[in-house]
Amino acid sequence: MSHQTEKTRELVLWFFLPVLFLLLFIRLIYFQITEAEFSLDKIDNRISQSKVIKSSRGKIVDRNDRILAEDIIFYDIGIDLNYFSYKPDEIKFISDLLNIEEQNLRERSSNQRLKFIQISKKVNREKVEALKKEKIQGLVFDEKYYRNYPEGEAFSQLIGITDINNDGLQGIELSFQKSLDSSDGRIDLKRDGNGKVIEEVIVPEKDGDLIKLSIDSDYQFIVFDELKRAVIENNASNASAIMIDLDSEEILAITNYPSFNPNDRKSLSDISLVTNKASISLLEPGSVLKPLSISLALDDELINEDTLIDTNPGWVEFEDYRTEDFRNYGILSVSEVIAKSSNVGTVKICSQMNKSRVISGIRSFGIGEYFSEMFLNHREGFLPGEQNISLRGLVSLCYGYGLQTTLLHIAKAYTGILNDGIEANLKIISSESNEIRRRILKKETTDKIKNILIHTVNNGTGKLAKVKDGVVGGKTGTSFISKQEGYDEDSINALFVGFIEKNSERYLLAIMVQEPKNDVSGGSDVAAPIFSNVFKSLELYSTPYLSII
């Protein structure tokens, strides 16, 4: 019996030993096939190190190299709870320095389910150094680039903002995203088993490009401050302005009020404040369009500046629609039609013109067009086609109704007129332009319009735009705002577009104030004074670029 049992055990052993070796062999083959690559990766990881070389987004500067947007180093701070000491005096020090509620920090750091907590973002270097000096265990400092806008709200709608990944969301930040964008580099080190570096691979970082704007920060601040004052004094909804150097056609200032602080977006309660209204918001321009439409009749020699227009009795019926003036101006010259802003006179002049000439002529100024050469977000607006407009609509168009445009388009149109009738090419980036540009009016015509604009400031609706010792010309405009139920006579846009010549320098300033609620008549007493105040402020400021004495 004993012998038989021993024999049985021997047979079982001989049977299972080969099976066991076979399974072991299969396991080794499986390991080689499926896990060898993973194991090599782990070994490679143990002997390799990689360090990120941070890159910075490109700076945006003004014409004088004043920084408008830049990346600066801040720190995100967290606590590794495995190493934190929980000492009451350390918790109090952290809370006081980082302006964190002490009880909240105590409760969060005591949460046993967590291994790590973030306690503050965007902390400056001075505070980080103060924390490091205390040698508090468990604190983790993550160095990051954050976008900073040193000049604040006067520039925020122009410059725009970036998102959480530091990519452009609005304004110049978005328009020049490709140029401003950056890419991080890295250093890869491979070491042998003794820790000695055997290979070093460096992939360099690429910082974003510098973007230099044509903007002058001093001008921008002065214009912004005057818009702010006008909005407050007139209890208005908002205001916008654009200043242009007429010789270079560079934009020196483009700003809006109210605005927002781009460095404190948490306080931004109205998302519409991020919009650059000067180039985005559409409006019916009203009487500032009259010099454009009447210039077409002058150019075609249908009239001259001295042609007499009978505006009696202060209104006119045309195509079953009545158009009125502020009062009965009687018989006016064409020059006086613009200076006194006569709707009746404009209707009578425009009714002599054909649809094609009016529509194509106004479009030639840039109205209703998208500016492909502009690195500035804008809307093209709406200008009706020749087939879709009645004779009544045509004459309304001539005094600024029945179309949608922006302040930027109006500024471009006037720049073309004031530069001898050559199509304007506005620039936000200082650069030479080799574009062949169209002639939109004869020089003789633009000379007449320029003199009429000067007459409008000296003797017409633009008197409050005067600047001492400067040659000033311009046109006021007041347009009712269209709402669902029709035009609201209590809601207006007040505009003034003017130019100044002094000491061989020439500037244009286009201004729009929306919905002034005080007892005002419109562009003549709301927008025109802003023009005068801006150039008086520049005179007091004595900027080197504008030599007003």
Side-chain angles (χ1 to χ4, degrees):
M1 187 71 179
S2 173
H3 178 74
Q4 185 65 34
T5 301
E6 187 176 327
K7 190 74 173 174
T8 301
R9 286 176 179 173
E10 186 176 335
L11 287 171
V12 169
L13 184 63
W14 280 107
F15 175 77
F16 280 107
L17 273 176
V19 172
L20 186 63
F21 280 115
L22 180 62
L23 290 173
L24 182 60
F25 178 75
I26 292 171
R27 176 62 180 166
L28 286 170
I29 295 297
Y30 173 80
F31 178 82
Q32 279 187 315
I33 294 173
T34 64
E35 299 187 13
E37 185 176 341
F38 172 74
S39 299
L40 287 171
D41 283 345
K42 291 186 72 175
I43 294 169
D44 191 56
N45 285 338
R46 285 198 300 267
I47 64 173
S48 300
Q49 288 181 321
S50 187
K51 180 182 178 181
V52 173
I53 307 173
K54 291 188 181 293
S55 61
S56 63
R57 185 174 174 83
K59 292 180 181 179
I60 303 172
V61 300
D62 79 349
R63 66 187 305 115
N64 300 310
D65 296 318
R66 194 162 169 177
I67 295 173
L68 305 178
E70 65 176 338
D71 279 1
I72 58 176
I73 295 174
F74 283 106
Y75 297 83
D76 290 350
I77 301 178
I79 299 177
D80 185 338
L81 298 176
N82 292 316
Y83 299 98
F84 191 52
S85 64
Y86 300 96
K87 293 178 182 178
D89 59 328
E90 291 183 347
I91 291 177
K92 178 172 173 51
F93 182 82
I94 294 170
S95 301
D96 291 345
L97 185 68
L98 300 180
N99 196 27
I100 302 170
E101 187 180 340
E102 185 176 345
Q103 183 61 31
N104 178 268
L105 178 58
R106 198 182 304 278
E107 290 173 0
R108 290 181 64 209
S109 61
S110 300
N111 190 334
Q112 295 182 352
R113 291 177 300 176
L114 301 176
K115 301 293 184 183
F116 179 87
I117 60 171
Q118 187 171 71
I119 59 173
S120 190
K121 286 187 173 184
K122 209 172 180 180
V123 180
N124 63 39
R125 188 184 297 274
E126 290 74 18
K127 290 185 178 181
V128 168
E129 292 301 324
L131 287 169
K132 287 182 176 180
K133 189 176 180 181
E134 295 297 312
K135 297 181 179 179
I136 299 171
Q137 291 186 350
L139 286 182
V140 177
F141 305 98
D142 184 14
E143 181 180 294
K144 288 187 175 181
Y145 279 114
Y146 279 94
R147 203 64 168 162
N148 182 55
Y149 303 94
E151 304 302 341
E153 63 178 352
F155 290 83
S156 57
Q157 293 147 336
L158 168 64
I159 301 302
I161 52 177
T162 56
D163 62 15
I164 193 171
N165 297 315
N166 217 16
D167 293 328
L169 275 180
Q170 292 279 343
I172 297 296
E173 292 278 29
L174 178 60
S175 298
F176 287 90
Q177 166 61 22
K178 188 173 181 181
S179 299
L180 290 165
D181 197 19
S182 65
S183 57
D184 290 343
R186 71 177 188 276
I187 301 175
D188 294 330
L189 299 177
K190 287 194 175 182
R191 303 176 185 273
D192 60 17
N194 298 318
K196 183 180 178 182
V197 176
I198 56 175
E199 185 180 349
E200 180 180 83
V201 178
I202 300 176
V203 179
E205 79 279 18
K206 182 187 178 299
D207 291 336
D209 296 334
L210 176 78
I211 300 298
K212 187 168 186 172
L213 304 182
S214 60
I215 299 294
D216 187 303
S217 294
D218 294 331
Y219 289 30
Q220 183 93 347
F221 280 119
I222 287 171
V223 174
F224 179 81
D225 287 345
E226 290 302 331
L227 293 182
K228 180 178 180 179
R229 180 163 70 169
V231 167
I232 293 170
E233 288 180 353
N234 294 287
N235 193 21
S237 297
N238 57 75
S240 304
I242 303 171
M243 183 187 285
I244 295 167
D245 181 331
L246 286 170
D247 291 323
S248 66
E249 297 187 346
E250 293 177 347
I251 297 174
L252 300 176
I254 177 168
T255 189
N256 314 271
Y257 182 86
S259 186
F260 70 99
N261 181 356
N263 296 311
D264 182 21
R265 293 182 220 174
K266 291 181 180 179
S267 65
L268 179 61
S269 57
D270 182 359
I271 195 64
S272 70
L273 290 180
V274 304
T275 302
N276 187 0
K277 291 180 171 61
S279 63
I280 296 293
S281 292
L282 297 175
L283 70 150
E284 290 178 294
S287 294
V288 295
L289 205 78
K290 289 173 182 172
L292 276 64
S293 57
I294 292 176
S295 72
L296 301 174
L298 286 168
D299 210 53
D300 293 346
E301 299 181 5
L302 298 176
I303 55 172
N304 61 55
E305 65 270 41
D306 298 319
T307 300
L308 298 179
I309 309 293
D310 188 356
T311 69
N312 284 299
W315 54 268
V316 63
E317 290 276 357
F318 185 81
E319 295 287 312
D320 299 322
Y321 187 88
R322 182 166 171 154
T323 300
E324 298 180 350
D325 278 339
F326 180 71
R327 64 178 179 83
N328 183 7
Y329 294 116
I331 297 175
L332 299 174
S333 68
V334 168
S335 180
E336 289 294 328
V337 166
I338 293 177
K340 295 186 182 299
S341 203
S342 170
N343 293 332
V344 175
T346 305
V347 169
K348 291 193 172 185
I349 293 170
C350 198
S351 62
Q352 302 177 46
M353 304 174 67
N354 64 55
K355 289 182 184 180
S356 177
R357 175 57 172 147
V358 174
I359 298 296
S360 63
I362 291 176
R363 191 176 296 279
S364 71
F365 291 110
I367 304 295
E369 297 285 293
Y370 189 84
F371 311 145
S372 59
E373 76 278 7
M374 280 285 290
F375 294 102
L376 187 66
N377 291 338
H378 64 280
R379 295 171 70 182
E380 64 268 39
F382 167 74
L383 182 66
E386 182 184 343
Q387 306 300 322
N388 304 316
I389 192 168
S390 65
L391 289 175
R392 175 63 245 175
L394 188 72
V395 295
S396 295
L397 193 71
C398 288
Y399 59 83
Y401 285 90
L403 73 158
Q404 294 283 318
T405 192
T406 71
L407 192 64
L408 181 67
H409 285 78
I410 297 167
K412 176 183 169 81
Y414 272 73
T415 300
I417 290 175
L418 294 167
N419 278 342
D420 299 334
I422 303 297
E423 177 188 20
N425 179 18
L426 301 187
K427 297 182 279 289
I428 195 72
I429 298 289
S430 299
S431 62
E432 292 293 328
S433 175
N434 297 318
E435 283 190 18
I436 299 173
R437 292 183 281 169
R438 300 172 294 166
R439 174 167 288 283
I440 52 180
L441 293 171
K442 300 169 189 170
K443 185 179 183 305
E444 295 82 2
T445 302
T446 61
D447 288 341
K448 292 174 183 177
I449 290 293
K450 178 181 170 182
N451 288 331
I452 292 172
L453 294 176
I454 293 170
H455 177 64
T456 301
V457 169
N458 289 336
N459 303 291
T461 59
K463 291 178 182 177
L464 294 179
K466 290 180 180 179
V467 178
K468 184 181 178 182
D469 298 330
V471 176
V472 176
K475 181 70 186 79
T476 58
T478 304
S479 63
F480 296 121
I481 296 174
S482 178
K483 299 188 177 179
Q484 273 190 334
E485 60 277 8
Y487 288 106
D488 183 353
E489 293 190 6
D490 293 324
S491 296
I492 62 171
N493 292 313
L495 297 99
F496 181 79
V497 185
F499 69 93
I500 182 170
E501 294 181 354
K502 191 167 184 180
N503 299 330
S504 73
E505 295 170 333
R506 304 183 308 133
Y507 302 92
L508 177 134
L509 181 59
I511 301 156
M512 188 276 293
V513 180
Q514 190 170 60
E515 295 187 293
K517 298 176 181 65
N518 291 351
D519 186 19
V520 292
S521 62
S524 59
D525 53 0
V526 175
I530 298 173
F531 183 96
S532 180
N533 291 338
V534 164
F535 287 100
K536 286 175 183 175
S537 295
L538 286 171
E539 182 177 359
L540 292 172
Y541 191 82
S542 298
T543 61
Y545 194 65
L546 183 64
S547 306
I548 294 181
I549 299 172

